Amino acid sequence: MTTIKLHNTKTRKREEFTPIDPENVRMYLCGPTVYDRAHLGNARPVIVFDVLNRLLRHVYGEDHVTYVRNFTDVDDRINETAQNRKAAGAQGTLEELIRQRSDETIQWYHDDMDAVGAMRPDHEPRATEYIGPMVAMIADLIAKDHAYAAEGHVLFAVDSYKQYGALSGRSVDDLIAGARVEVAPYKRNPMDFVLWKPSTDDLPGWDSPWGRGRPGWHIECSAMSHELLGASFDIHAGGIDLQFPHHENEIAQSCCANPDAGFANVWMHNEMLQVEGKKMSKSLGNFFTVRDLLDQGVPGEVIRFVMLSTHYRKPMDWTEKKREEAEKFLRQC
């Protein structure tokens, strides 16, 4: 069988890949928050790990890979859009308008990722469909003294997990010094992060033992990956911008909830995207979406080709010159 070697962010080494179960190789990719069109940077992990998904299916068999990519549809920006629509006279409850917005942006995402040649994952869970497992995992963390309730919130106690910071290779003190942490009187430690937070009457919320509220961002991926892939699986992937705090927090809560499991064996991160040598930013006028390029007549295969012309662990610079060269090359093929 073909040998696959992957760079594991967790060990900082290139390792021979050995799946937990060759009959069911499992991979999770952190997906988008569905509040707007996918920008060009959002497409990079999709394209990069689409290649890995295809490779795994080629080596282990089409029916022996389970690939999961989630949709985060619990978010203040989605709520704000729905509230604005309601204020403008749109018909329906706020929950219905939020669902409409999520459906709309998910369809956009599918259309755009289809255009760049990415296969659909085997599962695309929405966070709102897994509130029950999230509540159960939070309750379990409280029972195991890894989390605590305070003023309608539930927070993960970072001090309870001694390996916190291992993925990013930094100590808790270093992380505190370099991170923007929310200062709140109910936190025991500045690094403690939210698992559950209260919702006001005018915002979406779900009943829980700690009152009506909604989940924190990090618990969503832990619960969804556990439900669809199990307590231990092979590969967890995402952009390097998610390494801390999102992935660090996922590891902490998942390993504490399932101390006899390993969560993800291999962690993989793609580097960031630039445009003409600069960070993509609306303020610099170099921010654009995948749809912007498609509407300008740039073929999806050209976007894919340019993305894959740079190693995934190196910053990728989108330039007009690269686009032109890619189009010329593909026309000759």
Side-chain angles (χ1 to χ4, degrees), residues 23 46 56 63 68-69 73 113 132 134 144 159-160 169 173 181 184 186 205 222 228 239 255 305:
E23 295 297 308
V46 175
L56 294 172
D63 298 328
V68 178
R69 185 182 66 217
D73 58 349
M113 296 309 111
M134 293 175 205
K144 291 173 177 172
D159 289 340
S160 73
D173 288 342
V181 295
Y186 47 79
S222 285
L228 294 168
C255 288
F305 189 89

Side-chain angles (χ1 to χ4, degrees), residues 35-38 85 101 103-113 291:
Y35 67 94
D36 208 342
R37 286 277 188 187
R85 287 186 175 184
R101 179 60 172 176
D103 288 346
E104 179 181 48
T105 51
I106 287 172
Q107 186 59 57
W108 290 345
Y109 189 82
H110 279 151
D111 292 344
D112 294 347
M113 296 309 111
R291 180 51 50 181

Side-chain angles (χ1 to χ4, degrees), residues 102-282:
S102 297
D103 288 346
E104 179 181 48
T105 51
I106 287 172
Q107 186 59 57
W108 290 345
Y109 189 82
H110 279 151
D111 292 344
D112 294 347
M113 296 309 111
D114 289 350
V116 298
M119 292 173 59
R120 300 274 181 99
D122 300 289
H123 301 282
E124 295 183 288
R126 297 187 186 203
T128 52
E129 297 169 348
Y130 288 80
I131 300 297
M134 293 175 205
V135 169
M137 183 175 280
I138 294 168
D140 184 48
L141 288 168
I142 292 175
K144 291 173 177 172
D145 293 325
H146 291 297
Y148 58 94
E151 297 185 22
H153 296 74
V154 180
L155 297 110
F156 182 87
V158 167
D159 289 340
S160 73
Y161 182 60
K162 301 308 178 187
Q163 289 76 40
Y164 192 83
L167 182 69
S168 50
R170 292 177 284 179
S171 69
V172 173
D173 288 342
D174 289 340
L175 293 171
I176 291 174
R180 296 177 181 175
V181 295
E182 180 188 357
V183 178
Y186 47 79
K187 283 189 177 185
R188 297 176 185 172
N189 180 318
M191 291 300 295
D192 292 351
F193 56 88
V194 172
L195 301 174
W196 189 263
K197 55 187 176 182
S199 283
T200 57
D201 292 339
D202 61 332
L203 289 174
W206 292 264
D207 292 333
S208 81
W210 318 287
R212 184 176 178 277
R214 51 201 164 119
W217 175 35
H218 313 299
I219 197 69
E220 296 176 12
C221 286
S222 285
M224 288 186 283
S225 64
H226 182 269
E227 290 295 303
L228 294 168
L229 299 176
S232 295
F233 56 94
D234 297 296
I235 300 168
H236 195 312
I240 193 66
D241 55 316
L242 299 180
Q243 183 185 50
F244 180 83
H246 185 50
H247 290 163
E248 200 78 72
N249 293 352
E250 273 191 77
I251 291 172
Q253 62 203 9
S254 295
C255 288
C256 288
N258 301 282
D260 297 327
F263 195 39
N265 283 354
V266 178
W267 284 85
M268 299 182 69
H269 294 91
N270 64 275
E271 260 292 352
M272 302 295 285
L273 176 137
Q274 300 174 325
V275 176
E276 302 289 350
K278 297 179 181 179
K279 181 179 178 180
M280 190 167 66
S281 164
K282 289 181 179 179

